[in-house]
Amino acid sequence: RVLLNKVTAVAGHAQESSWVAARTGCQLPAMPMQGGALSPEEELRAAVLQLRETVVQQKETLGAQREAIRELTGKLARCEGLAGGKARGTATGKDTMGDLPRDPGHVVEQLSRSLQTLKDRLESLELQLRTNVSNAGLPSDFREVLQRRLGELERQLLRKVAELEDEKSLLHNETSAHRQKTESTLNALLQRVAELERGNSAFKSPDAFKVSLPLRTNYLYGKIKKTLPELYAFTICLWLRSSASPGIGTPFSYAVPGQANEIVLIEWGNNPIELLINDKVAQLPLFVSDGKWHHICITWTTRDGMWEAFQDGEKLGTGENLAPWHPIKPGGVLILGQEQDTVGGRFDATQAFVGELSQFNIWDRVLRAQEIVNIANCSTNMPGNIIPWVDNNVDVFGGASKWPVETCEERLLDL
């Protein structure tokens, strides 16, 4: 701009001299310049040449800077396309079975924001560069500064892409492990179903089966389909075999709305076997955790809360004042192998029964001692008149299974 102003001034001076010469009709003599300076025409010519050289240099610099900007824009576009492809690959990899521990979505989102920020900064830089070029020449070290900035931005993008690759690799490994675990679980489930089908087909009679609960968990259990009516007395008998320690757990529990412990038989931890009725407790002198089959019967009547406990046909204990004058409420849920904290649910693995159960029967009266002896020594088969032990009245869940049971005589030999 300084050169342009100087050229304009010299050109004006030359034009004024030419006009004076034309008006007077004579040529102006060449006036000598002090210090050997050039004439106005020569000075104008030199200024024009210098201005042309400056303009050519500025055009070359501007072209180089524009080429660098186009190269950077191309790199950013490739990086952005790569990041988009990685993000899509990651999203596709995540669409698998199950919930995974980590999700690289936040990395992809962060990379997208970084790319957009860098793109905005480059557009602002390009606009500023155009403004500066239109107003003045570029500083000599501007290209070096820009190249350093571009190198730094490129390194940041490469780090982000490497981080995304690591996330993708980790996600792939976790997905493979989860798939293998799921397939293993499904194979085990199919095997259990096949075993259950073979077991059901081998039942010789509707009551010749047992329920197996091999693990102490909160999801293996059996459920009696029928429910209880209102009872003022009952007898509950069953065969069981368990060697779990400490405590065999809960062979059965009956829960009603408002009372989860309406009837419960439990041996928990190092405590003795307990009978709960309406959440009242009586300790029973039974010992059945030796891994052998045992026949147990429990009787109770609401009159004075009288109770009796039999093991293998022998009366081992009796007592009274266990929930006296409390009738057993109807319409509840009867579960084998788990203690209910709510009706039909909220099982606690530490209270689960581990072992095998069979011949679970309930009567609405107190059986005579001789009747219990006859059932225990296999001399009679007397199904419960309220809850009989039949296959179509018992469902199993969570991996519990039904198997053909040993004959009554074989169970006696196990004692």
Side-chain angles (χ1 to χ4, degrees), residues 277-381:
I277 295 180
N278 193 31
D279 212 22
K280 307 302 186 296
V281 182
Q283 293 185 346
L284 309 183
L286 304 178
F287 305 95
V288 294
S289 59
D290 56 0
K292 298 181 179 181
W293 279 109
H294 291 283
H295 185 264
I296 62 173
C297 282
I298 301 163
T299 71
W300 174 86
T301 177
T302 186
R303 178 176 297 181
D304 295 327
M306 295 289 296
W307 61 269
E308 296 173 315
F310 294 80
Q311 179 174 328
D312 302 323
E314 181 183 358
K315 183 191 294 187
L316 298 184
T318 185
E320 60 182 9
N321 203 34
L322 177 59
W325 313 111
H326 170 77
I328 300 300
K329 297 178 181 178
V333 175
L334 192 54
I335 296 293
L336 301 177
Q338 296 285 352
E339 194 274 333
Q340 306 172 63
D341 286 339
T342 60
V343 177
R346 281 189 60 186
F347 305 142
D348 185 349
T350 63
Q351 298 174 335
F353 175 81
V354 181
E356 297 174 325
L357 301 172
S358 185
Q359 299 299 318
F360 179 83
N361 291 279
I362 300 180
W363 296 263
D364 59 357
R365 62 183 178 87
V366 175
L367 296 185
R368 298 189 306 273
Q370 188 58 48
E371 291 177 309
I372 294 175
V373 170
N374 293 338
I375 296 173
N377 64 19
C378 305
S379 62
T380 185
N381 181 20

Side-chain angles (χ1 to χ4, degrees), residues 25-70:
C26 60
Q27 295 288 336
L28 291 175
M31 298 179 62
M33 295 296 183
Q34 296 180 358
L38 298 177
S39 64
E41 290 81 3
E42 293 175 346
E43 187 176 0
L44 177 60
R45 187 179 298 107
V48 170
L49 292 176
Q50 184 178 359
L51 179 60
R52 287 179 178 177
E53 183 179 356
T54 302
V55 170
V56 171
Q57 292 177 354
Q58 291 181 350
K59 286 184 177 181
E60 291 176 354
T61 303
L62 180 58
Q65 297 301 330
R66 286 179 176 175
E67 182 65 24
I69 291 173
R70 284 194 296 271

Side-chain angles (χ1 to χ4, degrees), residues 110 159 198 220 260 340 344 354 378:
Q110 181 181 1
R159 284 196 300 268
R198 290 195 299 270
L220 274 73
Q340 306 172 63
V354 181
C378 305

Side-chain angles (χ1 to χ4, degrees), residues 165-176:
E165 288 287 353
D166 294 339
E167 291 288 342
K168 179 182 178 181
S169 177
L170 179 62
L171 179 63
H172 176 74
N173 294 336
E174 293 176 349
T175 301
S176 299

Side-chain angles (χ1 to χ4, degrees), residues 51 65-66 82 96 147 170 183 192 205 229 260 308 415:
L51 179 60
Q65 297 301 330
R66 286 179 176 175
L82 178 60
T96 58
Q147 289 294 340
L170 179 62
E183 291 177 353
R192 284 186 177 275
S205 62
E308 296 173 315
L415 295 177

